[in-house]
Coordinates of all heavy atoms in Angstrom, one line a residue:
D383 N 54.6 -20.6 -7.4 CA 55.0 -19.7 -6.3 C 54.6 -20.3 -4.9 O 54.1 -19.6 -4.1 CB 54.4 -18.3 -6.5 CG 54.8 -17.7 -7.8 OD1 56.0 -17.8 -8.1 OD2 54.0 -17.0 -8.4
G393 N 45.9 -40.5 -21.9 CA 45.8 -40.8 -23.3 C 46.8 -40.1 -24.1 O 47.7 -39.3 -23.6
E394 N 46.7 -40.3 -25.4 CA 47.6 -39.7 -26.4 C 46.8 -39.1 -27.5 O 45.8 -39.7 -27.9 CB 48.7 -40.7 -26.9 CG 49.6 -41.2 -25.8 CD 50.5 -40.2 -25.3 OE1 50.8 -39.2 -26.0 OE2 51.0 -40.3 -24.1
P397 N 45.7 -32.5 -27.6 CA 45.4 -32.2 -26.2 C 44.1 -31.5 -26.0 O 43.7 -30.6 -26.8 CB 46.6 -31.4 -25.8 CG 47.1 -30.7 -27.0 CD 46.8 -31.7 -28.1
G403 N 33.8 -27.1 -12.5 CA 33.0 -26.0 -11.9 C 33.3 -25.7 -10.5 O 34.1 -26.4 -9.8
A419 N 40.1 -40.5 -24.0 CA 41.5 -40.8 -23.9 C 42.0 -41.8 -25.0 O 43.2 -41.7 -25.3 CB 41.8 -41.4 -22.5
P420 N 41.2 -42.6 -25.5 CA 41.7 -43.4 -26.6 C 42.2 -42.7 -27.9 O 42.9 -43.2 -28.7 CB 40.5 -44.4 -27.0 CG 39.7 -44.5 -25.7 CD 39.8 -43.1 -25.1
D439 N 46.5 -19.3 2.2 CA 45.7 -18.4 3.1 C 45.5 -17.0 2.6 O 44.6 -16.3 3.1 CB 46.5 -18.4 4.4 CG 46.4 -19.7 5.2 OD1 45.4 -20.4 5.1 OD2 47.4 -20.0 5.9
H448 N 45.1 -15.6 -11.8 CA 45.9 -16.8 -11.2 C 45.4 -18.1 -11.9 O 46.2 -19.0 -12.2 CB 45.7 -16.9 -9.7 CG 46.6 -15.9 -9.0 ND1 48.0 -16.0 -9.1 CD2 46.4 -15.0 -8.0 CE1 48.5 -15.0 -8.3 NE2 47.6 -14.4 -7.7
T449 N 44.1 -18.2 -12.0 CA 43.5 -19.4 -12.6 C 43.9 -19.6 -14.0 O 44.4 -20.7 -14.4 CB 42.0 -19.4 -12.5 OG1 41.5 -19.1 -11.2 CG2 41.3 -20.7 -13.0
D452 N 47.5 -20.7 -14.0 CA 47.6 -22.1 -13.6 C 47.4 -23.0 -14.8 O 48.1 -24.0 -15.1 CB 46.6 -22.4 -12.5 CG 46.9 -21.8 -11.2 OD1 48.1 -21.3 -11.0 OD2 46.0 -21.7 -10.3
A454 N 47.8 -22.3 -18.0 CA 48.9 -22.1 -18.9 C 50.1 -22.9 -18.4 O 50.8 -23.5 -19.2 CB 49.2 -20.7 -19.2
A490 N 40.5 -24.6 -29.9 CA 39.1 -24.5 -29.9 C 38.6 -24.3 -28.5 O 39.3 -24.5 -27.5 CB 38.5 -25.8 -30.6
T496 N 27.5 -22.8 -18.8 CA 28.3 -21.7 -18.3 C 27.7 -20.4 -18.8 O 26.8 -20.4 -19.6 CB 29.8 -21.9 -18.7 OG1 30.5 -20.9 -17.9 CG2 30.0 -21.7 -20.1
P530 N 24.1 -29.7 -3.8 CA 23.6 -31.1 -4.2 C 23.9 -31.5 -5.6 O 23.5 -32.6 -6.0 CB 22.1 -30.9 -4.0 CG 21.8 -29.4 -4.4 CD 23.1 -28.7 -3.9
V534 N 29.3 -32.0 -7.8 CA 29.8 -31.6 -6.5 C 29.8 -32.9 -5.6 O 30.7 -33.1 -4.8 CB 29.0 -30.5 -5.9 CG1 29.4 -30.2 -4.4 CG2 29.2 -29.2 -6.7
A546 N 35.9 -21.0 0.3 CA 35.3 -19.7 0.5 C 36.2 -18.6 -0.2 O 35.6 -17.7 -0.8 CB 35.3 -19.5 2.0
L564 N 33.5 -11.9 -26.7 CA 32.8 -13.0 -27.4 C 32.9 -12.8 -28.9 O 33.2 -13.7 -29.7 CB 31.4 -13.2 -26.9 CG 31.2 -13.6 -25.5 CD1 29.7 -13.7 -25.2 CD2 31.9 -14.9 -25.1
R568 N 37.7 -16.3 -32.7 CA 37.9 -16.8 -34.0 C 38.3 -18.3 -34.1 O 38.9 -18.7 -35.1 CB 39.0 -15.9 -34.7 CG 38.6 -14.5 -34.9 CD 37.5 -14.3 -35.9 NE 37.1 -12.9 -36.1 CZ 36.1 -12.3 -35.5 NH1 35.5 -13.0 -34.5 NH2 35.9 -11.1 -35.7
L572 N 32.2 -24.9 -29.3 CA 31.0 -25.6 -28.9 C 30.4 -25.0 -27.7 O 31.1 -24.9 -26.7 CB 31.4 -27.1 -28.7 CG 30.3 -28.0 -28.1 CD1 29.1 -28.1 -29.1 CD2 30.9 -29.4 -27.7
V573 N 29.1 -24.7 -27.8 CA 28.4 -24.1 -26.6 C 27.3 -25.1 -26.3 O 26.4 -25.4 -27.1 CB 27.8 -22.8 -26.9 CG1 27.1 -22.2 -25.7 CG2 28.8 -21.8 -27.4
L574 N 27.4 -25.8 -25.1 CA 26.5 -26.9 -24.8 C 25.9 -26.6 -23.4 O 26.5 -26.1 -22.5 CB 27.3 -28.2 -24.7 CG 26.7 -29.5 -24.3 CD1 27.4 -30.7 -25.0 CD2 26.7 -29.7 -22.8
G576 N 22.7 -28.3 -20.6 CA 21.6 -29.3 -20.3 C 20.3 -28.7 -20.4 O 20.0 -27.6 -20.1
Y588 N 22.9 -16.6 -25.7 CA 23.7 -15.4 -25.9 C 25.0 -15.7 -26.5 O 25.5 -15.1 -27.5 CB 23.8 -14.6 -24.6 CG 24.5 -13.3 -24.7 CD1 23.8 -12.1 -24.9 CD2 25.9 -13.2 -24.5 CE1 24.4 -10.9 -25.0 CE2 26.5 -12.0 -24.6 CZ 25.8 -10.8 -24.9 OH 26.4 -9.6 -25.0
I593 N 29.3 -15.5 -30.5 CA 30.5 -16.1 -30.9 C 30.4 -16.5 -32.4 O 29.6 -17.4 -32.7 CB 30.9 -17.3 -30.1 CG1 31.1 -16.9 -28.6 CG2 32.2 -18.0 -30.6 CD1 31.3 -18.0 -27.6
A615 N 24.9 -38.6 -24.5 CA 24.7 -37.5 -25.4 C 25.8 -36.5 -25.3 O 26.2 -35.9 -26.3 CB 23.3 -36.9 -25.1
N617 N 29.0 -36.9 -24.4 CA 30.2 -37.4 -25.0 C 30.1 -37.4 -26.6 O 31.0 -37.1 -27.3 CB 30.6 -38.8 -24.5 CG 31.0 -38.7 -23.1 OD1 31.3 -37.7 -22.5 ND2 31.0 -39.9 -22.4
A622 N 31.9 -35.5 -31.6 CA 31.6 -35.0 -33.0 C 32.3 -33.7 -33.2 O 32.9 -33.4 -34.3 CB 30.1 -34.9 -33.2

Side-chain angles (χ1 to χ4, degrees):
D383 298 323
E394 297 294 335
D439 289 328
H448 279 303
T449 306
D452 290 343
T496 191
V534 174
L564 298 182
R568 295 293 182 266
L572 171 64
V573 185
L574 177 151
Y588 183 88
I593 299 172
N617 292 344

